[in-house]
């Protein structure tokens, strides 16, 4: 599975974005069309079959048509992951002709107010139009809705909106805390009760609509007792090529310390996948410390997420703090408790935009990221 | 980061084709799947977002004939002609098609 994060530029400024807070470093040195086409060819030779085209907002590049067409020729199953901003009749017609298989559209809320607030833009009406356009062109309509405190009370209405739009698949993705969403964690995290209620509502909705619409409910790991098998195993399935050509085993791997990530400008993908120190670092379980090393469940989750372990505990080889066997589980419980404190909730949200990214790079607002071992 | 969790396998199994496929039904590969021969794996595969189903030889022979035009009866006939020595092949083709409809790999076109 190859994920191409073709640009970090984005017209939306979502507070829950998992992109790196220092993404502004990587907006002026994006790979060229030709470099992307070479990436697709190399990865296909290695056996990649799935291509996700993501960002930022991929449609801010004007060569997505060419990338899609090459992916079609190479036999990829290609999925465009978009906010819908920049999707026009002309472009979607070209994508269809070029062999794009699937479009995943992000939606934010049933209410214009919350959509526009959380994305820090005015995009609500546009998203509804784009949803209809996707359907008209014979694509299944696949909506991804990131769930957080501001929209969790509207899950029923969100599902009803999706039904009215003719959605075939809806993913209710509870916010995971990386990048911008980690900085805004106190403002975004719902309570356990709200999540349980949202799940009950989702199940009732599933019963009612049956097979017509498939709903995924992604349980947030903070509220679980065991971590998720991050990326289905480090260097097992996923390869992420970012806007500037860095190759990562996981979207947020650049936060990890003492790691040098390969770059497609200098390294062939075959070497990257098989030989590079970065892709081998957390492959398998040799790297594990206690309590993971002797844990009889270690093969189920491989110790969870390395980035989350580092961001919260400062140790990339620690057990994911989500695990109740982790000596750092208290960090998760504190985060859950903190998110209910009115004075922390009242802190301003740091929206994902170029200005805020530059400020973080230049060392302003350090207190927001220092706790998370995430200084740029 | 983690990716999509799956959760509705139960629902799919319950709500598939209630009475099984009929001889006159026409199916196509469901819109969000792509069916192709995969050289590296030496088998037919069904691709969908973030996943892949490898089809064994006989499943591939059935699914490759599902094209939005051929009826179930046509497919049974074609497969029977291609493999004249296999006993009771019609029942196998039918159960393969039922499975594929249950799994929502196929969608009905008539």
């Amino acid at each position: 599975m190859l994920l191409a994060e073709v640009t970090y530029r984005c017209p939306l400024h979502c507070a829950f974005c998992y992109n790196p807070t220092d993404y502004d470093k990587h907006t002026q040195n994006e790979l060229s069309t030709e470099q992307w086409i070479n990436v697709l060819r190399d990865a296909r030779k290695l056996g990649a079959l799935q291509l996700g085209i993501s960002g930022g907002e991929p449609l801010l590049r004007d060569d997505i048509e060419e990338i899609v067409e090459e992916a079609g020729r190479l036999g990829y199953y290609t999925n465009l992951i978009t906010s819908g901003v920049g999707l026009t009749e002309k472009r979607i017609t070209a994508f269809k002709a070029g062999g794009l298989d699937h479009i995943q559209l992000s939606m934010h809320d049933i209410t214009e107010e919350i959509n526009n607030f959380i994305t820090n833009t005015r995009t609500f009406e546009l998203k509804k139009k784009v949803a209809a356009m996707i359907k008209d062109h014979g694509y299944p309509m696949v909506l991804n809705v990131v769930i957080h405190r501001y929209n969790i009370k509207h899950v029923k209405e969100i599902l009803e909106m999706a039904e009215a739009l003719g959605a075939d698949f809806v993913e209710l993705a509870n916010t995971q805390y990386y990048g911008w969403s980690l900085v805004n964690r106190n403002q975004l995290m719902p309570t356990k009760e709200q999540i349980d209620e949202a799940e009950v509502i989702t199940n009732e909705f599933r019963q009612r609509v049956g097979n017509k619409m498939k709903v995924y409910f992604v349980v947030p790991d903070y509220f679980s007792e065991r971590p998720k098998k991050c990326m289905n195993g480090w260097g097992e399935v996923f390869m992420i090529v970012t806007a500037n050509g860095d190759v990562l085993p996981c979207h947020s791997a650049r936060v990890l310390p003492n790691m040098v990530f390969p770059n497609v400008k200098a390294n062939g993908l075959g070497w990257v996948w098989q030989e590079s120190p970065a892709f081998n670092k957390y492959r398998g379980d040799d790297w594990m410390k206690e309590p993971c090393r002797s844990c009889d469940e270690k093969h189920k989750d491989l110790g969870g997420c390395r980035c989350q372990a580092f961001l919260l505990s400062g140790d990339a080889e620690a057990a994911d703090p989500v695990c109740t066997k982790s000596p750092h589980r208290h960090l998760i419980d504190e985060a859950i408790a903190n998110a209910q404190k009115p004075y922390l909730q009242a802190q301003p949200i740091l929206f994902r935009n170029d200005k805020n990214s530059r400020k973080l790079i230049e060392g302003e607002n350090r207190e927001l990221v220092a706790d998370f071992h995430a200084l740029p | 980061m983690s990716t999509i969790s799956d959760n509705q396998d139960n629902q799919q199994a319950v709500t598939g084709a209630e009475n099984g496929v009929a001889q006159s039904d026409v199916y196509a590969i469901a819109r969000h799947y792509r069916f192709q021969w995969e050289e590296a794996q030496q088998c037919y595969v069904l691709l969908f977002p973030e996943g892949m189903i490898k089809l064994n030889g006989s499943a591939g022979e059935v699914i490759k004939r599902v094209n939005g035009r051929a009826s179930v009866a046509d497919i049974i006939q074609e497969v029977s002609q291609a493999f004249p020595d296999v006993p009771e092949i019609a029942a196998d083709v039918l159960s393969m098609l039922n499975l594929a409809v249950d799994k929502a790999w196929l969608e009905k076109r008539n």
Side-chain angles (χ1 to χ4, degrees):
Chain A
M1 165 92 203
L2 174 67
L3 185 69
E5 287 187 339
V6 292
T7 182
Y8 284 122
R9 291 172 290 135
C10 189
L12 272 65
H13 305 143
C14 302
F16 52 73
C17 185
Y18 67 74
N19 275 179
T21 49
D22 60 352
Y23 76 85
D24 195 59
K25 282 182 196 164
H26 308 296
T27 51
Q28 303 305 318
N29 52 359
E30 292 179 5
L31 296 184
S32 66
T33 311
E34 200 190 338
Q35 284 169 320
W36 276 115
I37 283 175
N38 285 332
V39 166
L40 299 190
R41 287 178 185 160
D42 283 359
R44 187 73 179 102
K45 276 187 221 142
L46 282 176
L49 267 168
Q50 303 276 346
L51 171 66
I53 302 176
S54 179
E57 172 49 62
L59 295 176
L60 286 185
R61 286 184 66 119
D62 59 13
D63 59 357
I64 301 301
E65 287 81 348
E66 286 173 74
I67 292 171
V68 159
E69 209 180 317
E70 180 66 17
R73 263 197 296 275
L74 291 168
Y76 278 102
Y77 184 95
T78 308
N79 181 13
L80 177 70
I81 300 158
T82 178
S83 68
V85 179
L87 192 61
T88 59
E89 276 293 328
K90 188 173 169 216
R91 296 198 82 178
I92 197 171
T93 304
F95 293 150
K96 188 82 190 176
L100 180 68
D101 294 286
H102 189 275
I103 300 175
Q104 180 188 305
L105 178 67
S106 62
M107 292 295 269
H108 301 289
D109 202 327
I110 177 70
T111 69
E112 187 159 4
E113 291 72 22
I114 290 180
N115 174 83
N116 294 354
F117 169 66
I118 204 74
T119 63
N120 203 216
T121 52
R122 302 175 70 167
T123 49
F124 184 68
E125 286 303 318
L126 180 137
K127 279 179 181 279
K128 286 208 288 191
K129 266 187 220 145
V130 167
M133 197 194 293
I134 290 171
K135 193 97 180 158
D136 284 349
H137 281 262
Y139 283 106
M141 195 198 294
V142 182
L143 300 180
N144 180 293
V145 189
V146 176
I147 301 293
H148 42 72
R149 182 188 298 156
Y150 290 94
N151 65 5
I152 194 161
K153 289 179 201 151
H154 305 155
V155 160
K156 183 162 180 280
E157 289 78 7
I158 288 169
L159 287 170
E160 285 166 357
M161 171 180 74
E163 189 186 10
L165 289 171
D168 299 287
F169 297 84
V170 176
E171 183 186 352
L172 299 174
N174 279 284
T175 305
Q176 300 191 80
Y177 300 100
Y178 301 88
W180 296 89
S181 55
L182 183 59
V183 171
N184 292 310
R185 191 174 61 179
N186 286 328
Q187 290 83 359
L188 293 174
M189 201 186 319
T191 63
K192 173 86 167 77
E193 291 70 36
Q194 286 174 323
I195 289 165
D196 290 345
E197 196 190 336
E199 198 163 10
V200 168
I201 290 168
T202 303
N203 283 331
E204 285 168 3
F205 181 84
R206 284 173 178 155
Q207 295 249 307
R208 184 169 69 71
V209 299
N211 230 14
K212 188 174 77 174
M213 184 171 133
K214 200 167 170 180
V215 185
Y216 297 91
F217 188 89
V218 183
V219 179
D221 55 1
Y222 276 44
F223 295 93
S224 308
E225 300 199 333
R226 292 287 176 272
K228 290 178 178 168
K229 190 178 182 183
C230 187
M231 304 310 291
N232 235 338
W234 180 277
E236 293 296 322
V237 183
F238 281 89
M239 179 182 261
I240 293 152
V241 180
T242 66
N244 66 323
D246 286 350
V247 195
L248 311 177
C250 146
H251 310 71
S252 67
R254 268 192 298 228
V255 301
L256 297 172
N258 310 317
M259 299 266 289
V260 177
F261 290 103
N263 189 292
V264 297
K265 292 172 189 164
N267 308 110
L269 289 182
W271 178 84
V272 169
W273 184 256
Q274 284 138 17
E275 309 287 334
S276 72
F279 273 76
N280 283 301
K281 179 121 186 183
Y282 299 117
R283 233 178 214 149
D285 58 16
D286 283 351
W287 56 270
M288 282 181 184
K289 292 181 180 173
E290 292 298 347
C292 295
R293 178 167 282 278
S294 61
C295 180
D296 59 2
E297 295 177 77
K298 68 179 173 186
H299 295 296
K300 285 191 202 157
D301 53 41
L302 290 172
C305 175
R306 294 304 88 224
C307 304
Q308 187 148 274
F310 176 72
L311 288 167
L312 301 185
S313 80
D315 178 0
E317 275 139 45
D320 188 327
V322 159
C323 186
T324 52
K325 296 181 183 181
S326 158
H328 299 109
R329 171 69 207 190
H330 64 96
L331 296 171
I332 299 285
D333 296 326
E334 278 163 30
I336 293 170
N338 280 343
Q340 308 317 320
K341 290 180 182 159
Y343 72 95
L344 288 173
Q345 290 183 356
Q347 299 292 314
I349 285 183
L350 192 71
F351 286 103
R352 175 209 194 278
N353 61 42
D354 300 354
K355 199 173 113 199
N356 285 336
S357 180
R358 276 195 294 273
K359 277 190 183 171
L360 285 167
I361 294 167
E362 285 159 13
E364 285 184 51
N365 296 326
R366 271 215 166 202
E367 70 287 357
L368 292 177
V369 285
D371 276 356
F372 302 128
H373 309 276
L375 291 173
Chain B
M1 301 279 299
S2 68
T3 51
I4 288 183
S5 74
D6 52 315
N7 56 3
Q8 277 185 291
D9 292 346
N10 297 338
Q11 181 182 339
Q12 218 173 46
V14 178
T15 52
E18 288 83 16
N19 306 307
V21 301
Q23 294 282 326
S24 60
D25 286 353
V26 174
Y27 287 94
I29 306 292
R31 281 171 303 162
H32 59 289
Y33 286 93
R34 178 199 280 230
F35 173 78
Q36 68 187 25
W37 175 258
E38 195 51 29
E39 198 59 39
Q41 322 262 359
Q42 287 294 306
C43 65
Y44 285 102
V45 296
L46 275 168
L47 298 167
F48 56 99
E50 311 202 15
M52 172 178 79
I53 298 147
K54 287 191 208 177
L55 298 173
N56 65 22
S58 42
E61 287 298 327
V62 175
I63 302 299
K64 81 177 187 192
R65 292 175 166 83
V66 174
N67 57 11
R69 294 182 302 278
S71 68
V72 169
D74 295 339
I75 293 169
I76 291 174
Q77 198 193 352
E78 266 195 49
V79 177
S80 305
Q81 279 170 3
F83 302 93
D85 301 334
V86 182
E88 309 204 15
I89 197 165
D92 288 347
V93 173
L94 210 53
S95 64
M96 181 61 224
L97 289 171
N98 272 315
L99 172 81
V101 171
D102 261 357
K103 298 273 187 192
W105 300 340
L106 308 181
E107 57 188 32
K108 202 162 175 288
R109 281 293 161 85
N110 65 341

